[in-house]
Amino acid sequence: VYPDDRKEILAEALRSIREHRVFDCRFRNLDGRGKYIWIGIRASHKPLDEKTERFYASYYDVDQYVSERDELTAYGKRLDSILGSIPGGVAVFYEMNSEIRLAYSNAGFYSLHHGSREYWSKQSPNPVEWLAPEDRHLFWDEFRKASSGEKEQGNVVYRVIGEDGKLHWVANQFCRAGRVDGMQYYYASFTDMDDQITAEQEMQQNKLMYDDAAKSSKMIIWSYDPASKSAKMMQSGYTEEICRKLHVPPVIENVAETILPYVYPEDREAFRSSYRAMDEGAERAECEFRFQIPGQETQQRERMVMKRVTDKDGRLLNVFCFGQNITERKQKELDYEQTL
């Protein structure tokens, strides 16, 4: 018997006598080749006299079982070490009885869900229950697609109520990791989306306000590329609405010459000179001109402003342009002058 196991055999014998139960022990023993293997013993026993206990034992080979158990234990420790070293949040989970159960989760998983391990361990064992009620179906929709093979990877962004009682945004990507004893496991990674979602929401709010302001002031917006002489119209808000009504394409090639026929002859040089100035590197150019909208009898007055946008090193990024319909304002100015 392996020296370190000898005391445990004797201790188990004494315990089984004292507790009046079957002797049950596993230990390492030399085989005929001089190699230690694992053996199990189960033995009933009865006293022969006051100082002697006789054991009736059956031996069985548990070497493969113990070796596999030790390998799994070692693998589990290596896995914990690897996953625990990942800076983000990761988890391994499976589905059981229409609920999700965690098989493994690192510290980052809990912190990215804005709570400690201790806090979340006291909540529902089904982490889907941590999600805001109206977001839970988002996870299940993605899970059904990933589990059925419709998608290789599930992607879902949801809100979770953190330990601070506030709603937080979390992104979850998961895929099938393998099957053990008939159970399908999934590997998942998590990202804190609070800052990004907040920035996107603020950007969207700013865009709505910007679009509303542009519509109220009848302003269309585009960018101009001096190299290609093309204009790219803004694809949102008032600009998109006007372009759609006038059948203006998203990109206008050779924009100055393309628009020029609709500009009143008296104003064409001012219009053309603004584009020419930007082609020659001017920081800013502006003009007012009249033009005839195709299919309409009335003329429209427009104020156009063009501004060069550069990076910190002075390299051209874009030429930002906007045109404002000033027809009503000009008419009011004319009416006022006539009353004087």
Side-chain angles (χ1 to χ4, degrees), residues 33-310:
R33 296 169 296 177
K35 177 184 176 182
Y36 282 108
I37 61 171
W38 282 93
I39 291 177
I41 296 180
R42 287 183 62 85
S44 58
H45 51 90
K46 67 178 182 178
L48 293 182
D49 54 45
E50 294 181 358
K51 296 183 179 181
T52 307
E53 191 85 6
R54 175 171 288 176
F55 287 79
Y56 302 87
S58 60
Y59 292 73
Y60 51 98
D61 186 351
V62 294
D63 190 60
Q64 183 176 355
Y65 166 79
V66 173
S67 296
E68 290 176 353
R69 183 199 64 187
D70 290 346
E71 287 178 6
L72 286 174
T73 300
Y75 173 76
K77 290 181 179 179
R78 291 195 301 271
L79 182 63
D80 287 349
S81 177
I82 293 171
L83 296 181
S85 299
I86 296 176
V90 295
V92 177
F93 68 86
Y94 58 93
E95 181 193 21
M96 184 175 67
N97 299 325
S98 299
E99 291 189 348
I100 297 300
R101 290 290 185 267
L102 294 173
Y104 173 84
S105 51
N106 70 348
F109 166 79
Y110 297 100
S111 62
L112 283 171
H113 284 80
H114 295 268
S116 63
R117 185 186 292 268
E118 291 73 24
Y119 170 78
W120 288 119
S121 64
K122 296 176 183 178
Q123 310 307 310
S124 170
N126 176 13
V128 180
E129 297 295 321
W130 305 353
L131 277 55
E134 56 269 35
D135 291 356
R136 293 170 188 171
H137 75 93
L138 299 175
F139 171 82
W140 285 118
D141 289 347
E142 283 295 291
F143 179 78
R144 298 307 175 201
K145 293 175 182 177
S147 61
S148 67
E150 181 180 343
K151 294 180 66 175
E152 290 188 3
Q153 179 174 276
N155 293 275
V156 60
V157 177
Y158 53 74
R159 294 167 299 165
V160 62
I161 302 173
E163 190 171 358
D164 57 5
K166 300 178 182 179
L167 282 172
H168 298 278
W169 291 90
V170 179
N172 177 8
Q173 293 184 329
F174 57 91
C175 60
R176 286 179 288 182
R179 187 177 292 273
V180 179
D181 295 332
M183 183 70 71
Q184 178 65 59
Y185 286 80
Y186 298 82
Y187 173 80
S189 61
F190 302 84
T191 306
D192 190 331
M193 297 292 289
D194 272 357
D195 291 343
Q196 181 175 330
I197 295 293
T198 299
E200 289 176 354
Q201 290 176 339
E202 290 179 354
M203 187 181 299
Q204 180 64 20
Q205 291 172 0
N206 291 338
K207 178 181 178 301
L208 291 174
M209 291 189 291
Y210 187 79
D211 287 346
D212 186 61
K215 187 172 185 178
S216 299
S217 59
K218 297 182 179 180
M219 184 184 297
I220 61 173
I221 302 164
W222 70 96
S223 62
Y224 173 63
D225 180 14
S228 64
K229 304 293 190 293
S230 63
K232 185 176 182 180
M233 311 306 292
M234 184 176 181
Q235 294 299 293
S236 67
Y238 183 68
T239 301
E240 186 178 27
E241 179 182 327
I242 293 300
C243 289
R244 188 167 54 250
K245 287 182 178 179
L246 300 180
H247 304 289
V248 175
V251 177
I252 304 176
E253 303 294 343
N254 196 16
V255 58
E257 299 303 320
T258 300
I259 300 298
L260 196 64
Y262 303 105
V263 179
Y264 268 48
E266 298 89 336
D267 300 336
R268 288 177 181 175
E269 181 55 32
F271 176 82
R272 186 189 283 113
S273 65
S274 292
Y275 277 96
R276 188 185 303 122
M278 302 314 297
D279 291 343
E280 295 173 354
E283 293 296 322
R284 180 185 175 92
E286 61 180 283
C287 69
E288 291 184 9
F289 59 91
R290 294 162 296 172
F291 74 96
Q292 188 81 35
I293 297 177
Q296 295 187 16
E297 296 182 359
T298 58
Q299 65 173 344
Q300 181 169 309
R301 284 185 174 271
E302 195 83 8
R303 175 174 178 262
M304 181 175 70
V305 176
M306 310 177 78
K307 180 175 174 53
R308 192 179 186 87
V309 180
T310 59

